[in-house]
Amino acid sequence: EPEVTQTPSHQVTQMGQEVILRCVPISNHLYFYWYRQILGQKVEFLVSFYNNEISEKSEIFDDQFSVERPDGSNFTLKIRSTKLEDSAMYFCASSEEGQTYNSPLHFGNGTRLTVT
Amino acid sequence: RKEVEQDPGPFNVPEGATVAFNCTYSNSASQSFFWYRQDCRKEPKLLMSVYSSGNEDGRFTAQLNRASQYISLLIRDSKLSDSATYLCVVNEDNTDKLIFGTGTRLQVFP
């Protein structure tokens, strides 16, 4: 079964540094997402991306965050200047269509970001 | 203001038991409803979508009550492998944004 892959599985960075989290969505999917989960808390929506542009973003997704689809396969999340509170598990997801019963989200196995 | 509310549990049940989880959501405009399963430190995985008429998938039955804004999940004949956190998930205003509950933890013991 095709799957969403994320790299790296764990990223440690110092406060103020830039990080790029990488994702390869399922190849025939058109909608891409980033979610995050702070340890012990619920999964939170960050951003959705379709047709090479952001379709929706949450209040968490401020100017420090950006997403890009640099080629036909990768989907990246960049955090420009990391803060301690950015430490979390970041999940990439993709779906064939938008959010419908026939097109559920497929999540990657996540990148654990630790900001020190 | 909690948008999707679940009892965090844990629910500790013996193998073979039937267990039910409930969830309430605050946005009456939500159109899509799901149950996801999450193992410790792993990604959420879709368990089942929840349809208006209710639906069943093997040992799992999901129900939706739009009037009460309430969703349920019933697991029959619990297996050890069912031990996980069950996430109630609702979309926001028929958008692509999913709102997750904090999850209900289930522990099935021999």
Side-chain angles (χ1 to χ4, degrees):
Chain A
E1 185 180 326
E3 57 183 28
V4 177
T5 56
Q6 290 186 243
T7 55
S9 56
H10 191 190
Q11 174 87 48
V12 181
T13 190
Q14 287 190 325
M15 195 168 54
Q17 295 296 304
E18 174 184 287
V19 293
I20 297 177
L21 309 183
R22 301 180 192 279
C23 169
V24 179
I26 295 173
S27 60
N28 64 331
H29 286 186
L30 301 177
Y31 291 76
F32 313 115
Y33 310 84
W34 284 99
Y35 283 78
R36 80 170 187 191
Q37 186 174 30
I38 294 170
L39 187 63
Q41 297 186 25
K42 62 183 180 180
V43 177
E44 299 175 290
F45 170 83
L46 292 179
V47 65
S48 59
F49 190 88
Y50 170 70
N51 201 25
N52 282 321
E53 62 183 26
I54 290 174
S55 48
E56 292 174 75
K57 60 182 181 178
S58 71
E59 57 276 8
I60 302 168
F61 195 89
D62 62 21
D63 292 344
Q64 293 300 311
F65 290 85
S66 62
V67 289
E68 195 177 27
R69 188 152 162 82
D71 52 43
S73 59
N74 290 287
F75 179 52
T76 62
L77 174 69
K78 182 193 291 187
I79 309 175
R80 266 181 267 285
S81 177
T82 50
K83 307 183 188 70
L84 294 176
E85 55 264 36
D86 293 329
S87 295
M89 183 74 92
Y90 287 80
F91 293 110
C92 174
S94 69
S95 64
E96 207 168 340
E97 301 169 12
Q99 276 306 291
T100 68
Y101 292 124
N102 296 324
S103 180
L105 286 188
H106 294 257
F107 283 88
N109 52 9
T111 292
R112 183 178 304 160
L113 177 65
T114 302
V115 182
T116 62
Chain B
R1 171 172 163 268
K2 293 195 175 184
E3 295 172 296
V4 178
E5 195 162 347
Q6 296 182 251
D7 180 345
F11 285 61
N12 296 306
V13 302
E15 273 186 290
T18 295
V19 62
F21 306 137
N22 303 318
C23 163
T24 56
Y25 61 96
S26 59
N27 189 343
S28 59
S30 295
Q31 295 293 323
S32 303
F33 310 90
F34 309 91
W35 282 101
Y36 276 75
R37 170 198 168 124
Q38 186 174 32
D39 292 288
C40 188
R41 295 181 181 267
K42 300 284 189 182
E43 74 274 22
K45 291 186 178 177
L46 179 69
L47 181 65
M48 58 196 302
S49 302
V50 186
Y51 300 110
S52 296
S53 55
N55 48 299
E56 188 174 306
D57 183 2
R59 299 181 293 109
F60 300 87
T61 301
Q63 296 281 346
L64 169 65
N65 184 323
R66 285 187 186 270
S68 302
Q69 294 177 208
Y70 171 97
I71 306 163
S72 66
L73 176 68
L74 183 78
I75 305 175
R76 288 181 298 280
D77 189 22
S78 299
K79 312 288 184 196
L80 294 175
S81 56
D82 293 334
S83 298
T85 296
Y86 289 82
L87 308 175
C88 178
V89 183
V90 173
N91 81 321
E92 183 182 85
D93 287 339
N94 206 27
T95 68
D96 286 339
K97 177 180 176 181
L98 291 183
I99 308 296
F100 283 74
T102 50
T104 298
R105 189 164 158 233
L106 171 67
Q107 184 67 49
V108 182
F109 58 87

